Amino acid sequence: MNRVWTALLAAVALFLAWEFVDWAFIEAVWQPDAKACRAAHGACWGFIADKYRFILFGTYPYEEHWRPALASALLISLWILSSFRFVWRWWLALVWLFGLSVIAVLMWGGVGGLRYVENERWGGLILTLVLTTFGLAFAFPLSILLALGRRSTLPVIRGLCVAYIELIRGVPLISLLFMASVMLPLFLPAGVSVDKLLRAQIALILFAAAYLAEVVRGGLQAIPKHQYEAAAALGLGYWRQMFYIILPQALRIAVPPLVNTFIGFFKDTSLVLIIGLFDLLSTIKVSLNDPAWTGFGVEAYVFAAVVYFVFCFAMSQYSRRLERSAISSAL
């Protein structure tokens, strides 16, 4: 009976795979022709061919699209460079600082003959990458401090950290974005305003830090007590104990849940649509409002799924490689 069911499921899987290949490739329309797409029986990739610039770059000026394209390539290159452990040196921070400065010049402009573009017009893939990069870069150190504070023996510090973590984890991200967009300006003095993108970025940082703090705290709790005692016996102070002995082991243990949180955060950036920012998924939704291309939502979301899968799968594979490397070095 097991063989019968295996053969039956294999036949169904092959049939569905063939139907998908026929729909996605053989019968597909690749030219940006809406009439041909409606007459065809396959996928309409012409929609992506016609709208890919808006999907990737949002409302950024059309003639300046080379700038967000170059900025996206540079940011992805920084990610790839940082994935190699042999470059984890002090000068890597300088490389990131230089790279982010170049990206800022490319995106904002206003210098070197580049046209100034306000960040309200940023959108698409580059906005998703920027929100993710800065969100995780600032949230991760903050999460370590929160995790250490939650385990502190000082009641005030422990209470403040517990209150912050439980408050942020107890409300949805949409509510934080709404507060940052609508409520925060009401508490500012007259004439003082905070950029919409910056407000969204701060809300994302605070949200990610609370979740990452619990992951780091789990890694800290997994460290045996004798490790703390051995570090104290060496005469190390609290911060040196954490930096040299405890945190390296705790973070090594917490690699899988940390990357899982990173992946979730990367996808959560799509919620910035609620405050008027158009990331990759938001630009796809807006593209479907074009009367000439209504009815091709399947192709649009398949394209979005492929883009998200590429980035998330890359992070997942890197985490597995990093975990294996950490385990082998520990042995």
Side-chain angles (χ1 to χ4, degrees):
M1 185 57 67
N2 287 339
R3 294 177 181 176
V4 171
W5 279 109
T6 300
L8 181 61
L9 292 175
V12 172
L14 289 175
F15 173 77
L16 294 177
W18 170 252
E19 288 293 319
F20 177 78
V21 170
D22 182 63
W23 173 80
F25 300 102
I26 299 176
E27 298 291 338
V29 176
W30 301 89
Q31 299 299 322
D33 187 347
K35 292 183 179 179
C37 285
R38 299 188 189 282
H41 299 287
C44 177
W45 302 120
F47 167 77
I48 303 299
D50 186 58
K51 296 291 185 181
Y52 78 95
R53 283 202 173 200
F54 179 75
I55 292 173
L56 294 179
F57 309 127
T59 58
Y60 208 87
Y62 187 86
E63 64 278 4
E64 303 286 341
H65 278 178
W66 65 271
R67 289 161 56 181
L70 183 57
S72 300
L74 180 57
L75 190 53
I76 294 173
S77 299
L78 289 173
W79 284 13
I80 295 174
L81 175 65
S82 302
S83 66
F84 298 101
R85 296 189 65 178
F86 67 86
V87 301
W88 291 1
R89 301 292 185 269
W90 64 268
W91 50 264
L92 182 60
L94 299 179
V95 172
W96 267 94
L97 183 61
F98 175 77
L100 293 177
S101 301
V102 173
I103 292 172
V105 170
L106 286 172
M107 294 303 297
W108 267 299
V111 295
L114 296 176
R115 171 184 171 186
Y116 176 75
V117 179
E118 60 276 8
N119 54 27
E120 284 79 5
R121 301 194 63 180
W122 298 8
L125 180 62
I126 183 61
L127 182 61
T128 299
L129 296 178
V130 166
L131 291 174
T132 302
T133 301
F134 284 94
L136 294 177
F138 286 96
F140 187 62
L142 179 58
S143 69
I144 294 177
L145 295 177
L146 289 170
L148 294 176
R150 183 158 189 171
R151 291 173 54 84
S152 174
T153 57
L154 301 176
V156 176
I157 294 179
R158 184 174 64 251
L160 290 174
C161 292
V162 170
Y164 170 82
I165 292 172
E166 297 303 329
L167 175 63
I168 297 298
R169 293 176 71 238
V171 297
L173 176 57
I174 291 178
S175 64
L176 294 179
L177 292 171
F178 179 80
M179 289 287 294
S181 177
V182 179
M183 301 301 295
L184 179 61
L186 300 179
F187 296 95
L188 296 177
V192 177
S193 62
V194 180
D195 184 78
K196 182 190 296 185
L197 179 60
L198 179 59
R199 283 179 279 166
Q201 187 70 82
I202 292 174
L204 290 171
I205 290 171
L206 296 178
F207 180 81
Y211 281 85
L212 290 172
E214 287 298 275
V215 176
V216 175
R217 185 171 69 91
L220 291 172
Q221 287 183 310
I223 304 301
K225 185 178 180 180
H226 63 77
Q227 292 285 334
Y228 293 89
E229 296 172 346
L234 292 174
L236 300 177
Y238 176 80
W239 292 108
R240 298 185 69 184
Q241 291 179 32
M242 293 296 114
F243 186 77
Y244 291 110
I245 307 296
I246 305 303
L247 278 177
Q249 300 180 71
L251 295 179
R252 184 185 302 123
I253 294 171
V255 165
L258 279 174
V259 176
N260 184 59
T261 307
F262 291 169
I263 291 174
F265 180 78
F266 176 73
K267 293 182 288 186
D268 283 343
T269 55
S270 61
L271 294 176
V272 296
L273 172 64
I274 194 174
I275 60 173
L277 296 176
F278 296 95
D279 73 315
L280 178 66
L281 194 58
S282 303
T283 53
I284 288 179
K285 293 179 181 178
V286 175
S287 299
L288 291 172
N289 294 330
D290 188 342
W293 294 105
T294 56
F296 298 106
V298 174
E299 291 86 345
Y301 289 112
V302 166
F303 176 76
V306 170
V307 174
Y308 277 100
F309 175 79
V310 168
F311 284 97
C312 295
F313 183 73
M315 285 189 279
S316 175
Q317 291 300 305
Y318 174 70
S319 73
R320 294 180 61 184
R321 182 163 63 89
L322 182 62
E323 186 179 6
R324 289 195 297 267
S325 175
I327 292 175
S328 62
S329 62
L331 295 177

